[in-house]
Amino acid sequence: MATKMLESGALSAFCESLAIMYSAGIQTDEALYLLGEEQQSAGALANKGRASTGSFKSACSDVYAALVAGKSLAAALEESGAFPTHLVNMVGAGETSGRLESVLWSLAKHYDEEDRLYAKMRSAVAYPAALLCVMTVILLFSAAVILPVFVDVYEGLTGNLTASSFAYVNVSIGIGWAALIITFLCTVLVLVGMAIGSTPDGRAKLVRLFEKLPITREPMRQIAVARFTAALATFVSAGVDTDTSMQRAVDMVEHAELKSRLAAAHETMVDPAQGKSLPQAISESDVIEPVYARMLMVGSRTGSLETVLGSLSDTFFDDAITRIDNVIDSVEPTLAAFLTVSIGATLIAVMLPLIGIMSSIG
């Protein structure tokens, strides 16, 4: 069985290809067989993702074998070990609701956007990593080479450093080494993060970390909200009652804080003493902003709740990407400012004794 999780690009190619074959009337097991063997599909995968063709074909073969054994598509995907829980749950919802094709198209779009997001994050992290490495070299050169030269010059001019001059030099040396240590630690953390994020399992760990960091907490929560609304739209469109739809969608949420809020909202729906509607429960749980909660209310009253949920899912995902872009864009000026301040403070501190010496000579 395949044990390596497929990349987002490969997942998008898988869902898109399967949806095309499904819409053409090809049975699921035959579609999986063709998808694993067809070289054209492997070529499409190479264009869309970075996972190896061998891993993709192995995953398709495992799913095909499970389908032939009589298992459902969702169970076969889960057994293969190559597909994330979100995809497996959504496929299961599509099979239950009879909307597998639309779910596959939705998943293809979702993982294609996720792949572009990961690619953007990788390229955005690569530049700060390179800048941090350069900063480390510059600060190391300043602290280990330049500052000792100034000390030698001062001792040659005055015989030895005066107490005040020695204090200034100590300050400059302290600033230089402190900046070097901070920069070196940041460089190591970024490089380790890049190494961990090179695999799907590693990215999952980084996602859980980003959900807790103040600077990335909100974007990650917004992505979780987008996934929740997409799942909820799938169940509602299938004619499942809102209580059951809410319960199944909540079960698919992996974000701990969001899942807790949604579970509490679901309790207000099934509690006979409260009996709140789906839009009311979500609105009062503060999961989404009031303007979007009002859209849910209108959608529920007009019978277009599914459409509104699908639209909100796209809106939340786009908003999450915008927020992540803002975080990424703030990294470069922050690093540049830190380098400028640290080197500037070091040079100013080391030049002050020289200014004092020149003044006394004059």
Side-chain angles (χ1 to χ4, degrees):
M1 290 295 172
T3 56
K4 182 179 179 181
M5 193 77 68
L6 293 178
E7 300 279 353
S8 298
L11 294 173
S12 176
F14 175 86
C15 293
E16 181 179 340
S17 301
L18 192 59
I20 292 173
M21 295 184 187
Y22 191 85
S23 64
I26 300 175
Q27 293 184 351
T28 308
D29 55 350
E30 184 179 356
L32 262 297
Y33 176 80
L34 294 174
L35 189 57
E37 295 297 325
E38 183 62 45
Q39 294 299 318
Q40 183 177 357
S41 297
L45 170 66
N47 290 330
K48 295 193 68 172
R50 282 160 296 281
S52 66
T53 302
S55 299
F56 184 81
K57 293 179 67 175
S58 176
C60 291
S61 299
D62 290 342
V63 175
Y64 172 74
L67 288 174
V68 172
K71 296 184 178 180
S72 66
L73 178 58
L77 293 173
E78 183 177 14
E79 185 177 302
S80 71
F83 299 88
T85 303
H86 175 257
L87 186 147
V88 172
N89 290 337
M90 287 295 290
V91 169
E95 288 183 302
T96 302
S97 64
R99 301 183 69 251
L100 181 58
E101 181 183 345
S102 61
V103 168
L104 288 172
W105 282 115
S106 175
L107 288 171
K109 177 184 177 182
H110 171 81
Y111 284 107
D112 183 53
E113 292 174 340
E114 187 177 88
D115 183 58
R116 293 202 304 269
L117 177 61
Y118 284 145
K120 182 183 297 184
M121 292 178 67
R122 278 190 293 267
S123 62
V125 169
Y127 177 75
L131 183 57
L132 282 169
C133 291
V134 173
M135 288 171 58
T136 301
V137 173
I138 293 175
L139 291 171
L140 178 61
F141 183 78
S142 299
V145 178
I146 296 179
L147 293 180
V149 170
F150 275 93
V151 173
D152 292 340
V153 170
Y154 292 153
E155 291 180 343
L157 288 174
T158 63
N160 54 29
L161 292 175
T162 63
S164 59
S165 298
F166 189 74
Y168 282 123
V169 174
N170 273 341
V171 169
S172 65
I173 293 175
I175 293 174
W177 282 105
L180 173 61
I181 292 173
I182 294 173
T183 305
F184 179 75
L185 291 177
C186 291
T187 303
V188 171
L189 288 176
V190 171
L191 293 178
V192 170
M194 292 178 64
I196 294 175
S198 62
T199 63
D201 290 340
R203 279 198 295 271
K205 295 178 181 178
L206 288 179
V207 166
R208 288 193 290 271
L209 175 62
F210 291 155
E211 288 175 355
K212 300 177 182 179
L213 296 178
I215 194 172
T216 55
R217 184 185 302 152
E218 286 303 317
M220 301 310 299
R221 185 182 187 277
Q222 202 74 343
I223 291 177
V225 172
R227 287 184 168 183
F228 163 73
T229 52
L232 189 59
T234 299
F235 290 115
V236 171
S237 64
V240 181
D241 65 272
T242 54
D243 289 351
T244 305
S245 296
M246 183 69 168
Q247 178 62 61
R248 292 183 179 179
V250 171
D251 290 340
M252 296 171 62
V253 175
E254 299 177 1
H255 189 283
E257 182 270 338
L258 178 62
K259 187 167 187 172
S260 176
R261 285 180 176 271
L262 292 172
H266 179 253
E267 288 296 326
T268 65
M269 295 174 60
V270 298
D271 184 1
Q274 302 184 60
K276 295 181 179 178
S277 66
L278 175 63
Q280 285 177 326
I282 294 179
S283 174
E284 295 178 8
S285 66
D286 292 329
V287 170
I288 60 178
E289 297 177 8
V291 62
Y292 299 130
R294 287 194 291 271
M295 290 176 61
L296 281 181
M297 293 285 189
V298 174
S300 178
R301 293 171 183 172
T302 59
S304 57
L305 183 59
E306 172 197 353
T307 303
V308 173
L309 285 170
S311 176
L312 288 180
S313 177
D314 293 338
T315 300
F316 295 148
F317 193 83
D318 291 340
D319 180 57
I321 291 179
T322 300
R323 296 189 186 196
I324 291 175
D325 283 340
N326 292 335
V327 172
I328 292 173
D329 291 341
S330 66
V331 171
E332 180 182 344
T334 301
L335 291 178
F338 176 77
L339 177 62
T340 302
V341 171
S342 59
I343 293 180
T346 302
L347 293 179
I348 290 174
V350 82
M351 289 295 290
L352 288 176
L354 181 61
I355 294 175
I357 292 172
M358 297 302 294
S359 297
S360 62
I361 293 174

